[in-house]
Amino acid sequence: MITAMDTKLPRLITALPGPNARRVVESDTKFMSPSYTRDYPLVAKRGYGAIVEDVDGNAFLDFAAGIAVCSTGHCHPKVVAAIQKQAAELIHMSGTDFYYESMPQLAEKLVNTLPGAPKKAFFTNSGAEAVEGAIKLARYATKRDKMIAFYGCFHGRTMGALSLTASKTTQRKGFGALLSGVEHIPFPYSYRCAHGHTAETCGAEILEVLEQQIFKRLFDPEEVAGIIIEPIQGEGGYVVAPNFFLQELQRICRKHGIMLIADEVQSGMGRTGKWWAHQFSGIEPDIVCSAKGIASGMPLGAFFAPASIMNWKPGSHGTTFGGNPVCIASALATTELIETEYMENARRVGDYLLNRLSDWTQKFKIVGEVRGRGLMIGIEIVRDQRTKERAPDLRNIIVDAAFHKGLCILGAGENTVRLSPPLLIDEEQADFAANTLEACIREAESKL
Ligand SMILES: Cc1ncc(COP(=O)(O)O)c(C=O)c1O
């Protein structure tokens, strides 16, 4: 039998969904929470590199990577070997109460990727838990409790992280009161800049609102513990914050003793061609959150801060599973692969792909903007380039059509196509994705 391991491009052998996939979807509908948001019926069975094979033997090219998680591709032999070795040796003791040799080893590797003062690490199970920890640390270190976040940003679904999330109302609706003392301000979204600024200059007015309105009418800055930002919005639509904006935000935070928190859960770990997206602007956030790509799919998150900030007392924060040895082993192998091969590949193939898509706003009537860094690329779909009216229905047609052609992608934001493949893809795979998307966009355009 041909398997995913024999191919690096899609191979569809049944109509979609196939009979086995139909059976699983039926059973899932019966037994699983209906809160999950499945856009199309891909039932994954095995994966290798950037290929995922479904339960009917169809092979898909994966440009979703489990929501930007499978950074080293599916089941990289070195990652699998590290997981298997560790699982046979020790699965769990709890890093909260005992020591593992590999924990500080991974912490040292990761903090060395961060600019500025030497950092310490806390390991979590997920991105949301990393954000929860960052909120607590910011409050603890500053002895203040207010937080500021940005519209469009997504920080997770636990109650603290959800209080900062302002991506879609469905994510908050029905859950009652969240954390008090949280204000949101607009994200510098240059394609939709109300003041007509460019990708380099958008956002000056937002900082003005922060200083002249929020800090004068709502919160005294001395009450503000932290400002959290995604340097590139993920769920919000792969929107890149201008460098000057991040630099100014840092200046304002420093001026008032506010913790600048970079949520790099989606944009970090080499996806942009640098370890962290904030490095493009040269800032040094006080707290950095990570997860997703950190362990190639094993559940691990982390947050990092200088020792002067992460100096809370034993017992003030902990977790049973966070930093589990098997996840750490996977992260050590992942980090090594990103460092030696895949970060550079993400930069090179990301540039190649962005270049391939660079004339799409001229080529297609419904492509409003193509943007991103490295292998974090967003294609914003609009009904009319002049009015920039969002076209979520056309975006959904593109995502669905791509699936039926063997390309697995996800949407982001209301009307953006997100490309977040494993960091190991090559030009041939990038070309396949670009050609397939061109066909899908043409299909969507014909529905205008
Ligand atoms: C930027 C960002 N922060 C936090 C989270 C939450 O991570 P998790 O789903 O692992 O809790 C996500 C998830 O999409 C994210 O993109």
Side-chain angles (χ1 to χ4, degrees):
M1 189 177 96
I2 300 174
T3 73
M5 294 181 148
D6 306 310
T7 177
K8 59 178 209 171
L9 292 178
R11 178 179 38 80
L12 301 181
I13 57 172
T14 71
L16 297 176
N20 293 326
R22 269 182 207 283
R23 188 178 38 76
V24 176
V25 170
E26 255 168 49
S27 155
D28 189 284
T29 308
K30 196 163 161 197
F31 292 111
M32 295 303 299
S33 159
S35 59
Y36 299 116
T37 49
R38 278 71 168 264
D39 287 333
Y40 47 82
L42 175 65
V43 182
K45 166 97 171 161
R46 58 170 70 88
Y48 180 79
I51 291 290
V52 169
E53 191 180 304
D54 78 359
V55 281
D56 295 293
N58 297 301
F60 297 83
L61 180 61
D62 184 8
F63 266 49
I67 328 184
V69 167
C70 302
S71 47
T72 61
H74 292 279
C75 304
H76 192 291
K78 287 188 178 165
V79 173
V80 172
I83 292 170
Q84 286 174 334
K85 181 168 176 291
Q86 185 58 50
E89 197 169 284
L90 179 76
I91 294 177
H92 178 78
M93 266 301 280
S94 188
T96 288
D97 286 328
F98 303 97
Y99 297 96
Y100 307 127
E101 191 178 8
S102 57
M103 246 177 150
Q105 228 179 337
L106 178 64
E108 184 178 5
K109 268 201 150 217
L110 291 174
V111 298
N112 283 341
T113 66
L114 284 158
K119 313 277 191 296
K120 292 195 165 196
F122 185 100
F123 290 118
T124 67
N125 297 285
S126 67
E129 195 192 341
V131 170
E132 293 289 338
I135 299 171
K136 286 177 69 181
L137 181 59
R139 283 180 164 206
Y140 192 98
T142 58
K143 301 187 176 57
R144 307 169 178 183
D145 69 344
K146 310 281 186 259
M147 294 288 301
I148 292 169
F150 289 84
Y151 288 118
C153 281
F154 184 92
H155 299 293
R157 295 171 186 270
T158 50
M159 293 305 260
L162 186 60
S163 313
L164 304 177
T165 290
S167 183
K168 296 189 179 103
T169 49
T170 26
Q171 291 155 355
R172 295 167 63 108
K173 189 178 171 197
F175 300 114
L178 300 173
L179 274 190
S180 61
V182 177
E183 279 297 324
H184 289 89
I185 53 177
F187 189 86
Y189 192 164
S190 62
Y191 176 60
R192 296 184 178 280
C193 180
H195 303 275
H197 291 302
T198 65
E200 282 75 45
T201 59
C202 173
E205 291 78 7
I206 298 166
L207 297 167
E208 177 93 359
V209 166
L210 178 63
E211 294 206 280
Q212 299 306 322
Q213 306 293 336
I214 305 268
F215 286 172
K216 292 200 171 148
R217 299 178 199 283
L218 284 177
F219 301 153
D220 187 295
E222 288 189 2
E223 291 184 293
V224 179
I227 299 183
I228 184 163
I229 188 163
E230 289 175 84
I232 303 177
Q233 266 186 0
E235 301 307 299
Y238 279 23
V239 186
V240 183
N243 289 339
F244 102 91
F245 186 86
L246 294 173
Q247 290 154 3
E248 278 301 288
L249 200 60
Q250 172 170 271
R251 184 188 60 74
I252 293 168
C253 284
R254 295 243 163 106
K255 179 169 153 201
H256 299 293
I258 297 169
M259 299 285 106
L260 177 59
I261 305 168
D263 181 345
E264 295 257 18
V265 165
Q266 191 149 172
S267 55
M269 293 305 295
R271 173 155 296 282
T272 61
K274 291 190 190 285
W275 276 108
W276 311 102
H278 71 259
Q279 289 178 296
F280 287 90
S281 65
I283 61 165
E284 292 174 16
D286 300 296
I287 305 175
V288 174
C289 300
S290 176
K292 290 201 188 280
I294 196 170
S296 298
M298 293 298 283
L300 185 72
F303 58 100
F304 311 99
S308 58
I309 292 170
M310 198 180 279
N311 66 352
W312 39 15
K313 289 201 164 50
S316 52
H317 197 57
T319 169
T320 298
F321 292 115
N324 169 284
V326 185
C327 299
I328 298 261
S330 179
L332 279 167
T334 299
T335 309
E336 173 87 22
L337 286 164
I338 291 174
E339 189 173 32
T340 53
E341 294 178 57
Y342 295 148
M343 187 158 62
E344 170 55 20
N345 193 64
R347 192 196 53 71
R348 194 176 52 78
V349 182
D351 283 354
Y352 175 81
L353 187 53
L354 262 175
N355 195 37
R356 264 276 339 239
L357 316 189
S358 62
D359 63 351
W360 279 16
T361 52
Q362 286 121 54
K363 210 163 168 177
F364 301 107
K365 289 198 290 264
I366 62 169
V367 173
E369 188 179 51
V370 177
R371 57 184 175 242
R373 294 198 199 277
L375 287 173
M376 187 169 187
I377 298 174
I379 305 161
E380 182 154 349
I381 305 299
V382 292
R383 197 163 307 285
D384 178 337
Q385 287 180 331
R386 199 177 40 82
T387 62
K388 301 186 181 178
E389 185 191 341
R390 293 179 162 93
D393 52 335
L394 299 181
R395 190 275 311 272
N396 295 347
I397 288 172
I398 294 166
V399 171
D400 192 63
F403 167 64
H404 284 92
K405 295 182 198 309
L407 177 68
C408 185
I409 52 173
L410 287 169
E414 208 180 317
N415 58 315
T416 296
V417 169
R418 140 176 40 193
L419 304 183
S420 58
L423 308 185
L424 49 57
I425 60 157
D426 62 16
E427 280 90 346
E428 191 185 352
Q429 291 169 318
D431 279 334
F432 177 89
N435 294 337
T436 304
L437 281 168
E438 288 193 330
C440 298
I441 293 172
R442 262 185 226 109
E443 251 176 77
E445 246 176 21
S446 72
K447 307 270 185 330
L448 257 185

